[in-house]
């Protein structure tokens, strides 16, 4: 049974395109961006997901020649803010929850406050990289600054024979056509100091481009320039003034490249009604829940402005199914199936199968099972439209879990003493091993249910005439992020 289930898993069917192959095809000869890692302001799981997915999204956007990204179900803006800060993309994050949107605004504001620290660290990292590169050069170039200084002061003649090699290795090319040679030891020392200062200036200028954590004009830089204004020529003053005016104008029109918005997205959503300056863009979704993943794909295929998509779905148990109930609803747009092949067969997974694709800790399952018994026996409730949600992870004990859950379900917990709650816990505790066995069956079956849902989405894209390429990519490490598969697609060039 276990081997049969493994055979029908996505990793075994050979239906995935390796992430490395996708990135290589998208990048071509272009160098990838470098920058700080997101693990400084999010947990390990989210950091891994955001870092890997943002690199792919940036490469897809560059390949399509677009700068606007729309993050559907953006939550608190982890992916959106990183795409904006790290890759200088203009990102609209859309979420149905106003509390998430407000949280995204606040989080983005705090991130900007740390810009100077990140920028300073980036400068130090670049200096270290420059030294490492110098250490990797041939032996004749591996000369320390102290050795060079001694040669400059004690053996000017020797320096004249070597300056083309040593100076070019010491300092990156600065654009000068020729190098002048110092005549005396004093001039040589001054020459070295000037060159070193030039090198530091070069590093300072390169930092924003090489390690751009925020867009250049997203945060005010209050560092004072090292020059005497009285020594500037009039032409330079005018140029500086014009640059300053342009920068201020840019800041006033676009103070941020990340815009959190609150809106509920359906298959019929007109993005232009939400985003006033909608242009050629791509859709992304990191763990879009239930039908939202399916609706994101439908928007992608239907809207000419959307040129690419990268979607990682989750919460398969919340998918709506066309053939689950016998009632006919011709106008409803269903989450499953999407492709015509499965629609023609009238395929149905059913809630139990979809629930099997959701992996939860055994203790969490046990808490929910006992809670259900309590609600039925104490409150007489067998069905509710409300959800307990992620209460388990926020609870300190079973008693805390039950009381939090009852409040979410709008049930009065005052008539339920702690002793009664613990009696239910002790009554069913010996059946925990049954849940362990049940959970292991789910672990074996889950990949089979997931592959059916993902292949349905891929088939849907393959059926569209305006799609140039579509595929499934194992984006994340499944140990860190179990929902690790992304559906990605690019539209035909004729659609651009």
């Amino acid at each position: 049974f276990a081997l049969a289930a493994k055979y029908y898993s996505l990793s075994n069917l050979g239906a995935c395109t390796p992430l490395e192959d996708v990135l290589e095809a998208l990048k071509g000869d272009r160098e990838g961006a470098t920058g700080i890692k997101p693990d400084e302001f999010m947990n390990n799981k989210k950091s891994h997901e955001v870092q890997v997915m943002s690199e792919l999204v940036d490469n897809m956007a560059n390949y399509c020649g677009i700068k606007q990204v729309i993050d559907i179900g953006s939550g608190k803006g982890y992916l959106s803010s990183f795409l904006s800060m790290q890759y200088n993309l203009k990102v609209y994050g859309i979420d149905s929850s106003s509390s998430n949107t407000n949280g995204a605004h606040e989080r983005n504001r705090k991130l900007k406050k740390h810009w100077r620290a990140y920028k300073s660290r980036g400068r130090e990292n670049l200096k270290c990289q420059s030294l490492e590169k110098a250490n990797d050069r041939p032996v004749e170039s591996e000369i320390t600054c102290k050795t060079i200084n001694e040669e400059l002061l004690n053996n000017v003649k020797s320096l004249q024979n070597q300056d083309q090699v040593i100076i070019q290795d010491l300092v990156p090319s600065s654009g000068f056509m020729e190098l002048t040679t110092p005549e005396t030891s004093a001039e040589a020392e001054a020459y070295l100091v000037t060159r070193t200062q030039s090198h530091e200036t070069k590093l300072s200028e390169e930092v924003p481009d090489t390690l751009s954590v925020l867009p250049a004009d997203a945060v005010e830089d209050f560092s004072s320039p090292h020059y005497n204004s009285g020594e500037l020529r009039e032409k330079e003053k005018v140029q500086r003034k014009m640059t300053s005016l342009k920068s201020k104008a840019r800041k006033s029109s676009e103070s941020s490249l990340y815009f959190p918005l609150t809106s509920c997205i359906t298959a019929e959503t007109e993005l232009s009604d939400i985003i006033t300056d909608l242009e050629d863009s791509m859709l992304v979704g990191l763990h879009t829940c239930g039908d939202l993943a399916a609706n994101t794909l439908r928007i992608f295929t239907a809207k000419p402005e959307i040129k690419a998509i990268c979607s990682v779905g989750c919460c398969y148990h919340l998918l709506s199914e066309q053939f689950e109930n016998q009632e006919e609803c011709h106008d409803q747009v269903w989450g499953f199936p999407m492709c015509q092949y499965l629609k023609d067969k009238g395929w149905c997974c059913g809630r139990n199968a979809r629930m099997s694709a959701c992996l939860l800790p055994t203790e969490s399952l046990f808490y929910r099972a006992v809670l259900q018994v309590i609600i039925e026996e104490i409150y007489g409730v067998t069905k509710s439209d409300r959800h307990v949600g992620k209460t388990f992870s926020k609870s300190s004990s079973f008693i805390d879990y039950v009381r939090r859950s009852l409040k979410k379900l709008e049930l009065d917990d005052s008539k339920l003493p702690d002793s009664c709650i613990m009696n239910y816990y002790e009554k069913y505790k010996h059946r925990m091993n049954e849940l362990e066995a049940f959970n292991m069956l789910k672990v074996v079956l889950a990949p089979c249910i997931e592959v059916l849902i993902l292949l349905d989405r891929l088939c849907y894209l393959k059926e569209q005439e305006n799609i140039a390429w579509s595929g499934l990519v194992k984006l994340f490490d499944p140990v860190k992020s179990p929902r690790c598969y992304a559906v990605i697609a690019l539209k035909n060039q004729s659609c651009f």
Side-chain angles (χ1 to χ4, degrees), residues 408-431:
K408 280 199 169 187
L409 297 171
E410 295 187 344
L411 297 173
D412 181 15
D413 70 323
S414 62
K415 63 179 182 180
L416 193 64
D418 289 354
S419 58
C420 182
I421 295 174
M422 287 309 298
N423 285 339
Y424 273 101
Y425 180 87
E426 295 297 331
K427 180 180 179 180
Y428 292 103
K429 186 173 67 174
H430 71 281
R431 300 190 65 183

Side-chain angles (χ1 to χ4, degrees), residues 148-184:
I148 297 173
N149 191 40
E150 289 174 354
E151 289 189 6
L152 283 168
L153 297 174
N154 302 326
N155 196 346
V156 175
K157 191 170 183 178
S158 173
L159 175 64
Q160 290 175 350
N161 297 329
Q162 300 179 33
D163 77 320
Q164 291 294 325
V165 175
I166 298 172
I167 298 299
Q168 285 177 3
D169 285 334
L170 175 65
V171 186
S173 174
S174 56
F176 293 115
M177 294 303 294
E178 58 184 52
L179 296 170
T180 58
T181 307
E183 298 293 337
T184 66

Side-chain angles (χ1 to χ4, degrees), residues 64 281 283 296-309 457-470 488-496:
C64 297
S281 56
L283 289 181
T296 302
L297 293 175
R298 290 189 173 100
I299 292 172
F300 164 66
T301 58
K303 308 301 178 185
E305 300 92 350
I306 311 301
K307 308 303 180 185
I309 189 170
R457 293 172 181 177
L458 181 61
C459 257
Y460 167 78
L461 292 174
K462 298 292 184 186
E463 291 170 353
Q464 311 304 312
E465 294 182 355
N466 59 345
I467 307 299
W469 183 86
S470 57
I488 65 175
L490 302 168
K491 282 196 178 157
N492 292 321
Q493 291 293 324
S494 58
C495 300
F496 282 55

Side-chain angles (χ1 to χ4, degrees), residues 164-319:
Q164 291 294 325
V165 175
I166 298 172
I167 298 299
Q168 285 177 3
D169 285 334
L170 175 65
V171 186
S173 174
S174 56
F176 293 115
M177 294 303 294
E178 58 184 52
L179 296 170
T180 58
T181 307
E183 298 293 337
T184 66
S185 61
E187 289 180 6
E189 187 173 6
Y191 180 80
L192 179 62
V193 171
T194 302
R195 278 299 186 184
T196 304
Q197 289 174 343
S198 173
H199 180 43
E200 290 177 349
T201 302
K202 186 71 175 176
L203 284 172
S204 178
E205 291 171 352
E206 287 177 352
V207 167
D209 291 332
T210 311
L211 293 168
S212 55
V213 180
L214 281 176
D217 45 2
V219 177
E220 189 85 32
D221 188 344
F222 294 101
S223 58
S224 57
H226 299 285
Y227 60 81
N228 186 343
S229 59
E231 297 175 2
L232 289 173
R233 292 175 297 184
E234 271 317 302
K235 187 176 180 181
E236 290 175 333
K237 288 183 180 180
V238 172
Q239 286 178 341
R240 289 180 186 278
K241 188 174 182 179
M242 290 299 295
T243 302
S244 176
L245 288 173
K246 287 179 181 178
S247 177
K248 287 179 180 178
R250 223 170 26 244
K251 288 174 185 176
S252 63
S253 63
E254 188 177 357
S255 59
S256 174
L257 292 182
Y258 167 43
F259 307 90
L261 304 170
T262 303
S263 182
C264 185
I265 300 296
T266 68
E268 292 82 20
T269 296
E270 287 292 341
L271 293 175
S272 56
D273 293 340
I274 306 170
I275 302 170
T276 54
D277 63 339
L278 182 65
E279 57 189 52
D280 286 353
S281 56
M282 74 172 287
L283 289 181
V284 301
L286 176 53
H287 293 148
T288 44
C289 192
D291 285 356
L292 186 57
N295 289 337
T296 302
L297 293 175
R298 290 189 173 100
I299 292 172
F300 164 66
T301 58
K303 308 301 178 185
E305 300 92 350
I306 311 301
K307 308 303 180 185
I309 189 170
C310 179
S311 173
V312 180
C314 72
C315 303
Y316 301 133
H317 62 293
L318 296 179
L319 278 173

Side-chain angles (χ1 to χ4, degrees), residues 83-94:
L83 284 170
S84 169
M85 292 186 296
Q86 176 69 20
Y87 296 102
N88 207 31
L89 292 165
K90 186 174 183 178
V91 185
Y92 285 94
I94 305 176

Side-chain angles (χ1 to χ4, degrees), residues 331-361:
D331 296 333
Q332 185 169 343
V333 179
W334 306 94
F336 180 88
M338 290 190 72
C339 72
Q340 197 59 47
Y341 177 79
L342 289 183
K343 283 183 178 180
D344 291 343
K345 291 182 175 293
W347 192 274
C348 175
C349 284
R351 178 170 172 79
N352 283 339
R354 286 184 281 110
M355 284 296 294
S356 296
C358 300
L359 302 178
L360 297 171

